[in-house]
Amino acid sequence: MKALILVGGFGTRLRPLTLTLPKPLVEFANKPMIYHQVKALAAAGVTDIVLAVNYRPEIMTEALQKYEKEFNVRIEFSVETEPLGTAGPLKLAEKILGKDDTPFFVLNSDVICEYPFNELAEFHRQHGQEGTIIVTKVEEPSKYGVIVHKHDHPSRIDRFVEKPIEFVGNRINAGIYIFNPSVLKRIELRPTSIEQETFPAICKDGQLHSFDLEGFWMDVGQPKDFLAGTCLYLSSLTKKNSKELTPVSEPFVYGGNVLMDPSAKVGKNCRIGPNVTIGPNVVIGDGVRLQRCVLLSGSKVKDHAWVKSTIVGWNSSVGRWARLENVTVLGDDVAIGDEVYVNGGSILPHKTIKQNVDVPAIIM
Ligand code: GDD
Ligand code: MG
């Protein structure tokens, strides 16, 4: 089977992390976001994956080459010279996606869930029409594409409204699709949006269906949702009794849902959890309290620091008795001084912070 992952765009909403790495390479649960998707696609029998890239392609190529071997798949880079939006990249990859008449998957690169590719393909095959999109329910639908059904059919989509201003429903596009190659005939090679142009056109012909997602889902393309998605993902690992999680018998684990790279070091009398991921080579001092946070590789949290709802970027350090909370994000190589308080700060790479950040702010 074939798949295309949309990995373009500048990931501006995930700054300052995306100032250092393209969004798909930012580690979610200690692995680049895109790793989770390639792994799930390979497990579902996909052998040809197209990565639709327009931003820093060279760094993506390097990272992805290893996955070809690891998952025994072919990964082809389809590089746009100008951003082609969310539909144009499908046309650009027509040679691969349309090489035979079997359907292909399309994924947004920032969505996390249990990826039910096999079930989706089976459902799509059964209704026999042009496209199927995975849908999920959310409380705040205005940030997403919303789908509307008529009462006469359980899965045929009547209308697709991207980022509605007025409430039209709470079932949204989860950013995972399967299409018959015939959809490529509808798309022109130019910057064009699948949500604004292609979906409404397929709906009009009554050829677009929805497939309800079971379990958790999150678009982790912004810090608040990245943290929320981390909690959901870790909870799903706990539910599955995953061996990847740090055992709750470890004296520092508090409330479970802790995922720690084996190379990380933890000091004495720490309380860590629930919902914490700790990347490779992280060093945590003594008496540290961590909850609902993500520590990326090489970062350091010094003695007695208190960190909650925070992403600590690569190689950053948090000073002794410092307190970070309220969706604080430290970019690469940030230093937070001893006893400093940061409330919802977004700190750009390589900064040293010696003064408190009392109200949410971007510090550059
Ligand atoms: N190749 C390429 N070229 N990819 C692009 C481009 C481009 O010009 N622009 C955006 N992308 C990729 C992004 O990297 C991302 O993987 C995907 O397209 C969607 O872009 P986002 O910027 O993340 O869109 P969104 O989150 O606002 O909304 C989309 O996702 C929601 C679900 O998370 C829409 O598809 C919504 O309908 C959907 O509900
Ligand atoms: Mg998104």
Side-chain angles (χ1 to χ4, degrees):
M1 287 189 82
K2 306 158 288 181
L4 176 139
I5 311 180
L6 288 161
V7 288
F10 300 106
T12 38
R13 288 169 294 177
L14 199 56
R15 278 187 191 153
L17 302 174
T18 43
L19 293 172
T20 305
L21 280 184
K23 181 163 75 171
L25 294 185
V26 172
E27 296 92 342
F28 176 86
N30 288 350
K31 296 275 187 212
M33 281 186 203
I34 196 151
Y35 175 95
H36 300 277
Q37 300 186 322
V38 172
K39 184 177 172 190
L41 286 167
V46 171
T47 48
D48 289 87
I49 301 177
V50 180
L51 291 190
V53 197
N54 62 36
Y55 167 71
R56 300 178 70 182
E58 63 301 328
I59 151 165
M60 293 285 307
T61 334
E62 211 176 289
L64 268 293
Q65 269 162 356
K66 344 188 250 287
Y67 300 164
E68 291 199 305
K69 284 205 189 87
E70 181 169 351
F71 298 114
N72 195 22
V73 290
R74 267 184 302 274
I75 300 182
E76 189 95 29
F77 282 77
S78 174
V79 183
E80 297 147 50
T81 45
E82 62 169 331
L84 290 179
T86 46
L90 276 63
K91 191 70 175 180
L92 189 64
E94 189 169 23
K95 273 213 180 85
I96 302 169
L97 300 178
K99 70 174 181 180
D100 54 31
D101 54 12
T102 60
F104 58 86
F105 296 109
V106 175
L107 276 79
N108 287 350
S109 66
D110 55 4
V111 294
I112 288 290
C113 64
E114 276 167 338
Y115 308 113
F117 293 123
N118 287 322
E119 296 82 347
L120 174 65
E122 179 52 27
F123 177 79
H124 180 76
R125 198 188 57 75
Q126 278 175 15
H127 70 65
Q129 293 188 309
E130 197 161 0
T132 310
I133 71 183
I134 297 192
V135 306
T136 186
K137 276 191 187 158
V138 294
E139 285 179 6
E140 220 183 298
S142 61
K143 296 202 282 184
Y144 306 102
V146 176
I147 61 141
V148 185
H149 287 99
K150 265 200 187 138
H151 295 295
D152 62 351
H153 196 283
S155 73
R156 184 176 297 127
I157 301 174
D158 184 44
R159 247 175 353 125
F160 186 96
V161 192
E162 183 64 12
K163 317 242 159 71
I165 297 162
E166 276 174 24
F167 184 87
V168 289
N170 66 349
R171 294 175 73 209
I172 63 127
N173 167 21
I176 303 171
Y177 327 120
I178 185 167
F179 297 116
N180 295 343
S182 59
V183 81
L184 299 167
K185 291 198 209 104
R186 296 182 183 267
I187 304 171
E188 289 170 31
L189 189 59
R190 59 171 169 88
T192 153
S193 155
I194 204 164
E195 298 87 354
Q196 313 269 11
E197 299 185 54
T198 320
F199 288 161
I202 315 177
C203 277
K204 218 165 147 209
D205 295 344
Q207 295 277 324
L208 193 62
H209 288 256
S210 64
F211 174 85
D212 287 304
L213 182 69
E214 273 175 41
F216 73 97
W217 176 87
M218 191 57 85
D219 176 332
V220 296
Q222 36 193 315
K224 183 168 165 269
D225 297 339
F226 191 93
L227 288 166
T230 300
C231 298
L232 294 172
Y233 180 83
L234 293 175
S235 297
S236 83
L237 290 186
T238 295
K239 231 185 188 167
K240 286 189 274 193
N241 269 321
S242 166
K243 295 268 174 301
E244 284 174 62
L245 289 173
T246 311
V248 283
S249 55
E250 283 287 351
F252 58 82
V253 173
Y254 185 78
N257 288 7
V258 175
L259 180 73
M260 184 168 104
D261 189 272
S263 62
K265 289 194 177 67
V266 178
K268 292 187 263 325
N269 301 320
C270 289
R271 184 181 268 195
I272 298 178
N275 300 311
V276 175
T277 70
I278 301 171
N281 306 312
V282 167
V283 179
I284 298 168
D286 295 339
V288 166
R289 175 72 181 111
L290 302 175
Q291 52 195 314
R292 207 178 191 276
C293 64
V294 170
L295 310 185
L296 295 175
S297 64
S299 60
K300 201 174 200 170
V301 182
K302 296 185 188 163
D303 301 348
H304 312 295
W306 189 99
V307 182
K308 182 179 181 181
S309 293
T310 290
I311 304 172
V312 178
W314 312 273
N315 311 309
S316 285
S317 70
V318 176
R320 294 192 295 166
W321 299 285
R323 179 176 173 122
L324 273 49
E325 63 181 335
N326 195 19
V327 196
T328 284
V329 187
L330 312 184
D332 176 38
D333 180 39
V334 164
I336 303 290
D338 290 351
E339 297 182 50
V340 166
Y341 171 56
V342 185
N343 172 21
S346 181
I347 322 282
L348 267 58
H350 316 299
K351 294 287 304 177
T352 297
I353 304 293
K354 292 183 180 149
Q355 309 273 306
N356 291 349
V357 179
D358 291 311
V359 290
I362 299 171
I363 311 292
M364 17 195 183

